[in-house]
Amino acid sequence: MMNFQEFQDFFGILLPWYEKNKRKFPWRKNQISAYEVWVSEIMLQQTQVSRGEKYYKNFLKKFPSIRALSACSWEEFLPYYDGLGYYARGRNMLKTAKTICEEYGGKFPTKKSELLKLPGVGEYTASAILAFARDEKVFAWDTNVVRIFQRALKKSELSKKDRQHLESFLHQSSLSGKAVNSALMDFGSLVCVSRPNRKLHECPFEEKCFCFEGILEKVPASRGKKEVEKFSSAETSAMVFLHENHRKYFSDKKKTFVPFILSPGISSREKIKAHFLQTYGLNISVRPPHAKKLIQKKPFVFVNAQILSGSHSFFVHPKSPVEEFLKNLQP
């Protein structure tokens, strides 16, 4: 296990590297509010940074404060979130904004235990708010941070006890929680990536890293993607599985679940959205196709979608009929 001096030495190498290589983002500034941190962290979940950055800027122009956000409706909120996916996360943003204004006087709680009570706020987001908005000495543990310390400690897994030791060292040190977490995030994204072989020459730790010893990472040969027959978009139809958080599935059939089967040529995300808006008056979110199959020698894409706004009279089915439908689907 790393001792305190080794911990200091580790960040004595990492922080100078960060000062030379740090990325510039609108949420990286000296004075930032908990609200701004929270918005950035929610929007960057499962989203490319460059894409999230555009949403972040537009969102804060429309909703510059937690009170402005708490006063808006879902319909007012949606245009500034639409396209990020995971719409339950967006609804939680509105719930959290209202909770903070009603129960905390419009200010984010300063205790982690209180932050964790907010809708959609987990361990990582709570820690990020404390680290970046309040400069508290906590680690915002995500996949990148865990991977970095696994390699630094020469371990294939990072235990709860390991994390506690590292948190204790951070509390004892004179380091900035904000700088430490920013450095770890950039290092994990730019150099200490999941398959680091091509990045080893950029690593400031040289032979001190687990990866240099060849113990942790042996990159497997690329398996490649299974060959899929290609068809023109005009030939391809879409099977749309319309759902609500994968708990309820909608169909225009009452007794037997059948997805919405669209005509050939209506298979792109844009055309599917346009079809549901024109046919049913529904604004839907369409995920990228998750499968492409030949059914009775005709090409289909399988697509998941959620209703964002609009009313309907579709029949509601539980998840089990969907699984049964897919199992019985004959190629």
Side-chain angles (χ1 to χ4, degrees), residues 225-226 228 237-243 246 249 257 259-260 267 269 272 286-293 295 300-305 322-323 325-326 329:
K225 293 184 178 179
K226 186 177 180 181
V228 178
S237 301
M239 280 194 185
V240 181
F241 295 84
L242 193 65
H243 64 88
H246 295 284
Y249 280 78
F257 173 81
F260 294 86
S267 56
R269 296 169 74 182
I272 293 171
V286 182
R287 299 294 298 158
H290 60 82
K292 189 172 188 178
K293 293 185 178 182
I295 302 172
F300 285 84
V301 289
F302 290 13
V303 176
N304 282 313
V322 179
E323 296 171 341
F325 174 83
L326 293 174
L329 195 61

Side-chain angles (χ1 to χ4, degrees), residues 41-79:
E41 293 299 337
I42 298 297
M43 290 195 162
L44 290 172
Q45 292 173 21
Q46 306 296 323
T47 305
Q48 291 182 339
V49 173
S50 58
R51 191 159 173 264
E53 187 173 352
K54 294 176 183 178
Y55 277 88
Y56 178 81
K57 290 178 178 178
N58 291 332
F59 191 90
L60 288 183
K61 284 181 183 177
K62 177 64 178 177
F63 308 110
S65 68
I66 194 75
R67 291 196 179 279
L69 181 58
S70 71
C72 83
S73 66
W74 172 251
E75 288 71 24
E76 292 171 314
F77 169 90
L78 187 57

Side-chain angles (χ1 to χ4, degrees), residues 7 36 42 69 86 93 122 132 254 261 267 291 311 319 323:
F7 181 88
E36 292 170 302
I42 298 297
L69 181 58
Y86 302 94
M93 288 185 76
F132 295 120
K254 184 175 182 179
I261 301 175
S267 56
S311 60
K319 187 176 180 180
E323 296 171 341

Side-chain angles (χ1 to χ4, degrees), residues 247-267:
R247 295 191 182 99
K248 298 177 182 177
Y249 280 78
F250 304 110
S251 172
D252 56 4
K253 309 294 183 187
K254 184 175 182 179
K255 293 184 179 179
T256 305
F257 173 81
V258 177
F260 294 86
I261 301 175
L262 309 188
S263 302
I266 307 177
S267 56

Side-chain angles (χ1 to χ4, degrees), residues 43-233:
M43 290 195 162
L44 290 172
Q45 292 173 21
Q46 306 296 323
T47 305
Q48 291 182 339
V49 173
S50 58
R51 191 159 173 264
E53 187 173 352
K54 294 176 183 178
Y55 277 88
Y56 178 81
K57 290 178 178 178
N58 291 332
F59 191 90
L60 288 183
K61 284 181 183 177
K62 177 64 178 177
F63 308 110
S65 68
I66 194 75
R67 291 196 179 279
L69 181 58
S70 71
C72 83
S73 66
W74 172 251
E75 288 71 24
E76 292 171 314
F77 169 90
L78 187 57
Y80 297 89
Y81 184 91
D82 193 12
L84 284 173
Y86 302 94
Y87 289 89
R89 186 173 63 191
R91 292 187 184 277
N92 278 335
M93 288 185 76
L94 289 182
K95 291 178 184 177
T96 290
K98 294 182 188 303
T99 298
I100 289 175
C101 289
E102 292 171 2
E103 298 182 18
Y104 295 95
K107 295 182 180 180
F108 273 78
T110 58
K111 293 182 179 180
K112 189 174 183 179
S113 59
E114 294 296 315
L115 287 169
L116 290 172
K117 294 178 183 178
L118 298 172
V121 174
E123 285 282 341
Y124 170 79
T125 303
S127 296
I129 291 171
L130 295 176
F132 295 120
R134 297 179 55 79
D135 198 21
E136 290 195 15
K137 297 181 180 184
V138 295
F139 286 114
W141 293 104
D142 67 356
T143 304
N144 285 342
V145 176
V146 170
R147 182 173 61 245
I148 291 168
F149 280 118
Q150 281 179 327
R151 292 171 179 173
L153 299 176
K154 298 181 172 27
K155 291 192 172 187
S156 58
E157 291 185 6
L158 202 65
S159 69
K160 183 178 179 179
K161 189 175 181 180
D162 292 330
R163 296 192 191 200
Q164 290 172 342
H165 276 299
L166 293 166
E167 294 272 7
S168 176
F169 290 155
L170 183 57
H171 279 287
Q172 295 174 49
S173 75
S174 59
L175 300 175
S176 157
K178 185 175 182 178
V180 161
N181 282 280
S182 297
L184 288 167
M185 287 179 178
D186 281 8
F187 187 58
S189 295
L190 299 175
V191 177
C192 196
V193 294
S194 58
R195 293 187 174 186
N197 294 48
R198 289 179 296 175
K199 298 283 188 176
L200 290 181
H201 66 284
E202 300 176 29
C203 181
F205 292 98
E206 299 179 346
E207 288 77 8
K208 296 176 183 177
C209 175
F210 205 165
C211 299
F212 280 90
E213 299 175 12
I215 299 172
L216 183 66
E217 294 287 340
K218 289 186 178 179
V219 180
S222 175
R223 296 177 182 175
K225 293 184 178 179
K226 186 177 180 181
E227 289 295 323
V228 178
E229 290 187 71
K230 294 182 180 180
F231 300 89
S232 70
S233 58

